[in-house]
Amino acid sequence: MSPAMAATAETMKKDDPLQSQFQKGVKHLWESGIKSVPMKYVLPVLERPVAMNGESYATKLNLKLPVIDFAELQGSNRPQVLKSLANACENYGFFQLVNHGISNDAISNVLDVAGRFFELPFEEREKYMSVDMRSPVRYGTSFNQTKDGVYCWRDFLKLVCNPDIVPHWPSSPVDFRNMAAIYAKETKFLFLMVAEAILESLGLTNTENKTKEEEEDDILKELQDGSQLMVVNCYPPCPEPDLTLGMPPHSDYGFLTLLLQDEVEGLQIQFQEKWVTIEPIPNSFVINVGDHLEIFSNGRYKSVIHRVLVNSMKSRISVASLHSLPFSSMVRPSTKLISDANPRRYMDTDFPAFIKYIESSDSTKKKFLESRRLY
């Protein structure tokens, strides 16, 4: 256990017993056999997924996201697929990617090993527990457990995907590092291919012209050398799912997020001012625009608010791969997407600004992107 993790564990021991139980996460609570949701997890009435009269605040509506066929994107139908991609990013902020080339084995292996990690005894998972948001390997609970006024029904493992960090990833289960590293490598390659298509859909690249403008070369190179954070999420069964959320409404910091989820529904997005549930498509990726892409596109592509529901019957596992520029880079609107008709809408931002903001904010009030707007 690292000194930072040891200090975290020692701090928890000094906490009052009830608070210490919450810090251990919801998997630990569920395994203890609780029959009701502790008040620490109960949302204010108007923020709950279901009202007191049993009717849902969210429209009981499942949404089929635009489906982008990656194989067609690589073929003669690319221009039409790029139009569909632009429409998805402008009007939904999300799309589902199929025929992406990542094998079913790689997908099933990472979901399996992720599930087995959360099945480990708490004492094994605890080795990686930290409240330091800068920790490259971090097991935790809720959203921002040091600031959240109300906790979320979620445990997570966050892994910075860097070759120097991989040796510090969990050593149990024994195949965890290998399976997760294979998956991380494949999703990074897929991200770069999708990112290039998104830049082309914005009119910033031309695949037939190998001589690109300096700005496009820079952004593609920065993305190639950019950051990748893998977040493995566990949402155990919840005895009173109408009172809480797996994750609160939020947008994703970064350029793009590639989400792999099991067959259990839970993801909801805000669409036309209503909460709608995304129907999982087996072996597909749900991809969403992040704050950085909205800033880079000067508001053309939308980083959409989303949240996660929980249920009383089944655990849900998801693996989110968040990609962006290097942590040291500054993010700003593309100069080619700024004009008199569409003036600059966002200030420059970087990773330290995000960390400073999130460390000072309750997750239920997370509006980082709003803090970057100029008007």
Side-chain angles (χ1 to χ4, degrees), residues 115-167:
R116 284 188 282 122
F117 172 81
F118 287 105
E119 293 298 327
L120 293 172
F122 174 73
E123 291 73 23
E124 183 66 27
R125 288 177 273 137
E126 184 184 24
K127 294 177 182 178
Y128 306 97
M129 184 165 275
S130 174
V131 295
D132 180 5
M133 299 192 73
R134 294 175 175 82
S135 177
V137 180
R138 178 181 168 225
Y139 177 65
T141 191
S142 192
F143 196 90
N144 179 4
Q145 65 202 77
T146 61
K147 294 292 181 180
D148 291 346
V150 178
Y151 274 13
C152 309
W153 200 263
R154 167 218 188 202
D155 292 342
F156 62 82
L157 176 66
K158 293 189 176 182
L159 304 168
V160 171
C161 299
N162 181 305
D164 295 334
I165 303 299
V166 171

Side-chain angles (χ1 to χ4, degrees), residues 237-256:
C238 176
E240 297 176 290
D242 297 345
L243 301 181
T244 190
L245 286 168
M247 288 187 75
H250 68 285
S251 61
D252 285 356
Y253 176 86
F255 202 83
L256 286 177

